[in-house]
Amino acid sequence: MSMSQRRKSSVLAIAVGAAIAVGVIAAPASPSQALPVVSTDWMANAGYGVALHWTTQSVPAAGGSPAAFCTAVNNFDVNLLASQLQAAGAGYLLFTISHAQMHLPFPSAKLDSVISGRTCSRDLPLDMYNALTPLGIKLMFYFPSIATSEDPTWQASSQWNTSKPNFAQLQYDLVTEIGNRYGTKLAGWWVDNSMGAYTAIYNHATYATALRAGNPNRVISFNFSSVGTWNSSLGAGVEDYQAGESDDLSRLPASRYSGEGGTQWQTFSYLDDFWVHATAGTPVPRYSNNKISLYAKSVINAGGVLTLNAAPYQDGLISAATLSQLQALRASTRSATGDTVVLDDRSLSFGSGWSQISGNSYHLNSGTYTQAAGSSVSQTFTGTGVTWYAPKGPDHGRADVRIDGGSPVTVDLYSAAREDVATAFTATGLSAGSHTISITSRADKNAASTNTYVEVDAIEYKVGARTDDTGASVTYSSGWATSSIAALYGGSSHYTLTAGSNATFAFNGTNVTWYTVKAPDHGKVDISIDGGAAQIVDLYQTQWTGNTAAFSISGLSSGAHTIKITARSDKNAASSNYYVEVDGFQQRY
């Protein structure tokens, strides 16, 4: 997306980016790898996206049988979808173009040549792209790669049962046609059913080449492991990110490139119904808002990516309850990711009297509890705020919480109905530096409670602050203007084409990161800390990426500092212009 395109955008401004570590590059290819790994920087910057298993089996909000597929395609409101995804803070949409029954929501000469009546005249993904692009939301496709018993006509026509080599070639031909149809409009694929006995059906290097038809920078993933142990090496050199299918929220990346085969770590799980809303009723979130938020922060802060599936209605798309949870995720994650550290209970040191418990309702499926009065746990941290998360319920007691050994604050954990991963205690506005939170169970309880349980699920502490381009601590020389687009942090950036124009951010801390835009029409800058020697940073990139970390420095002395960004008069030879943008800064204490 060019600068001129973005300046014309007038969409509602929300932040859809996420903070990541600076200086990361695509995983290096080993000599044995057949294909290079495509950069996943835009995906890592997005942090999380939303998937829709919108299929022939999705039922209307009022219940009853689904409408004919192409009727539903024609009635699909892409503007409603775009507004929902914007409200959700989605960095990308992973859309299911086919599932258990083979139908495509767009024209396909190749599919028509194999089986009739399975394509639609409306190009729904193209209309989606046109609605999503002004919001900075990328489009990806889910593809099934098998013919299921729920569609025996497709099994016969595709030769699924009679010739697996012919079936595989048909898949290559289909995705090649689709890839060429959408070109750079299609940012990625998530390809299902490469696990177990299905693995041998395909030459995955050949498949990968077909999936990148029309866009060599398209990211792809094959589902080699399903919900099992993610330890396949088959994706090395052919895929770019781990499929990471999961039926819970319990696994975290060891690092950004700790996905299968050394790829970008990513996980794909469902929020409400089991992938597809195929029965009457309302899709309802499985987890509490805090559980989703803490998991997303934990994944993103470790360099991973999270894709959350919403099971949509055929007509009304994402249910109100699920959309509300996604809005809460955006509110908690987009403004705080990279600024907090989340510790689950297993990372804490408990005194005597505590026991561990497991279950899907807990952060990372683990919690620690006590019934013994006087049992305590403490955690020392460096930051300006801290939150204790714990279940509340009809059998829960009370605890005293102290910050730095000060006066206790008594927290009542009783609730008539159980609340999972509830916010039990929060302290804000602490001085930047080292602090200790301690939690001690009490002997008394609410009169309505049936017991004295006290639990610790997670501790989250604030280690820094994010400032957008309009922050009071950011000052600009002459030569700057503003741009608005949702993919930018806070929905805006300052930009310049004038060599010598500069922006300065004053901060207190030991670490600072500058966030900007990289694009085919961007130039170079000089960056200096506290008036010191300048470092040149090149902002040219073949694909537009907003809210991206371009420079970071750590190990500064504690106290006041400045970072200065100055536009240069030179550029990368491949760049078409000299744009420089400021999307914001992040400081660490």
Side-chain angles (χ1 to χ4, degrees):
M1 187 185 305
S2 70
M3 276 297 303
S4 60
Q5 287 173 315
R6 294 191 299 105
R7 289 199 298 274
K8 292 175 183 176
S9 174
S10 59
V11 298
L12 174 67
I14 62 169
V16 299
I20 60 165
V22 69
V24 289
I25 58 174
S30 69
S32 63
Q33 290 179 341
L35 292 173
V37 175
V38 170
S39 172
T40 58
D41 284 355
W42 71 261
M43 200 176 194
N45 287 334
Y48 73 86
V50 172
L52 295 181
H53 268 64
W54 188 83
T55 77
T56 57
Q57 298 169 320
S58 299
V59 301
S65 299
F69 183 67
C70 286
T71 298
V73 167
N74 290 336
N75 291 336
F76 196 108
D77 188 341
V78 295
N79 293 318
L80 171 60
L81 171 65
S83 68
Q84 289 189 318
L85 294 176
Q86 184 185 38
Y92 55 90
L93 167 65
L94 176 59
F95 186 70
T96 299
I97 58 172
S98 184
H99 196 239
Q101 298 169 338
M102 185 60 177
H103 291 258
L104 294 177
F106 49 83
S108 169
K110 183 62 186 180
L111 188 59
D112 288 343
S113 72
V114 176
I115 186 172
S116 62
R118 298 299 185 97
T119 63
C120 303
S121 58
R122 181 187 183 185
D123 192 333
L124 180 57
L126 179 60
D127 290 343
M128 286 180 174
Y129 173 84
N130 290 332
L132 296 174
T133 297
L135 307 180
I137 301 171
K138 291 185 179 290
L139 179 63
M140 302 174 66
F141 288 163
Y142 166 102
F143 193 70
S145 282
I146 61 171
T148 75
S149 59
E150 295 177 71
D151 194 350
T153 304
W154 171 238
Q155 285 187 321
S157 299
S158 64
Q159 301 184 61
W160 169 257
N161 292 324
T162 56
S163 175
K164 289 298 192 292
N166 287 350
F167 179 85
Q169 185 61 51
L170 175 58
Q171 306 312 294
Y172 306 154
D173 293 345
L174 279 169
V175 299
T176 297
E177 180 191 60
I178 294 167
N180 285 326
R181 180 181 189 85
Y182 294 104
T184 56
K185 296 179 177 67
L186 180 60
W189 291 94
W190 194 94
V191 181
D192 208 351
N193 298 306
S194 286
M195 74 290 286
Y198 298 140
T199 302
I201 297 174
Y202 302 103
N203 179 315
H204 286 92
T206 300
Y207 208 166
T209 299
L211 289 162
R212 292 195 179 96
N215 181 6
N217 293 315
R218 189 177 293 141
V219 298
I220 63 173
S221 180
F222 296 103
N223 191 9
F224 289 115
S225 300
S226 187
V227 298
T229 303
W230 301 335
N231 60 3
S232 173
S233 61
L234 296 174
V238 295
E239 65 177 356
D240 311 301
Y241 68 99
Q242 168 184 271
E245 181 184 354
S246 181
D247 53 11
D248 65 10
L249 305 178
S250 63
R251 293 182 259 194
L252 293 178
S255 63
R256 180 179 172 185
Y257 295 112
S258 59
E260 289 185 319
T263 60
Q264 167 74 56
W265 195 98
Q266 188 271 165
T267 186
F268 183 18
S269 193
Y270 54 97
L271 283 174
D272 41 35
D273 283 10
F274 185 69
W275 302 111
V276 179
H277 181 57
T279 58
T282 301
V284 176
R286 297 191 293 158
Y287 304 120
S288 69
N289 288 355
N290 280 346
K291 179 178 170 76
I292 296 293
S293 172
L294 291 179
Y295 185 69
K297 291 175 186 178
S298 299
V299 166
I300 296 168
N301 286 344
V305 179
L306 173 63
T307 305
L308 294 168
N309 186 81
Y313 300 118
Q314 186 181 57
D315 47 2
L317 300 184
I318 302 172
S319 74
T322 301
L323 181 60
S324 176
Q325 181 165 88
L326 287 167
Q327 289 174 304
L329 174 63
R330 185 198 76 188
S332 66
T333 305
R334 293 308 188 195
S335 62
T337 299
D339 297 335
T340 66
V341 171
V342 179
L343 300 175
D344 82 302
D345 65 295
R346 291 165 295 186
S347 300
L348 307 176
S349 296
F350 291 86
S352 60
W354 296 88
S355 300
Q356 199 169 55
I357 189 171
S358 60
N360 276 349
S361 63
Y362 295 93
H363 174 56
L364 301 184
N365 294 2
S366 174
T368 299
Y369 72 93
T370 187
Q371 288 178 284
S375 295
S376 65
V377 60
S378 62
Q379 175 65 37
T380 299
F381 63 95
T382 299
T384 60
V386 64
T387 299
W388 162 36
Y389 296 94
K392 296 182 178 181
D395 56 355
H396 280 57
R398 291 172 172 162
D400 285 336
V401 181
R402 289 179 170 85
I403 300 295
D404 299 330
S407 299
V409 175
T410 299
V411 176
D412 190 347
L413 299 172
Y414 169 79
S415 175
R418 183 175 173 90
E419 301 174 29
D420 295 319
V421 201
T423 302
F425 172 87
T426 297
T428 60
L430 304 177
S431 60
S434 179
H435 300 279
T436 299
I437 180 175
S438 63
I439 302 161
T440 304
S441 58
R442 291 172 59 97
D444 60 336
K445 63 180 180 66
N446 189 299
S449 181
T450 62
N451 216 317
T452 57
Y453 284 109
V454 171
E455 298 189 69
V456 175
D457 196 354
I459 298 289
E460 179 181 22
Y461 56 94
K462 188 173 180 62
V463 296
R466 181 74 185 261
T467 301
D468 73 8
D469 65 297
T470 63
S473 52
V474 185
T475 58
Y476 298 91
S477 70
S478 61
W480 295 85
T482 58
S483 174
S484 297
I485 188 171
L488 302 171
Y489 184 82
S492 68
S493 75
H494 274 65
Y495 71 90
T496 187
L497 279 168
T498 305
S501 292
N502 62 76
T504 301
F505 173 57
F507 65 98
N508 280 281
T510 61
N511 175 303
V512 67
T513 299
W514 169 46
Y515 290 87
T516 184
V517 171
K518 292 186 176 182
D521 56 357
H522 279 52
K524 295 180 179 179
V525 297
D526 286 329
I527 299 182
S528 62
I529 301 295
D530 299 330
Q535 178 176 330
I536 299 173
V537 175
D538 189 350
L539 302 178
Y540 169 79
Q541 187 173 279
T542 56
Q543 291 182 301
W544 186 95
T545 305
N547 188 35
T548 186
F551 174 86
S552 185
I553 187 170
S554 59
L556 302 174
S557 60
S558 180
H561 299 279
T562 59
I563 178 173
K564 185 176 183 179
I565 292 97
T566 304
R568 292 175 57 92
S569 59
D570 59 337
K571 63 179 180 65
N572 189 300
S575 182
S576 62
N577 218 321
Y578 297 84
Y579 283 107
V580 170
E581 297 189 65
V582 172
D583 198 7
F585 300 88
Q586 181 176 315
Q587 67 193 72
R588 290 289 182 95
Y589 305 119

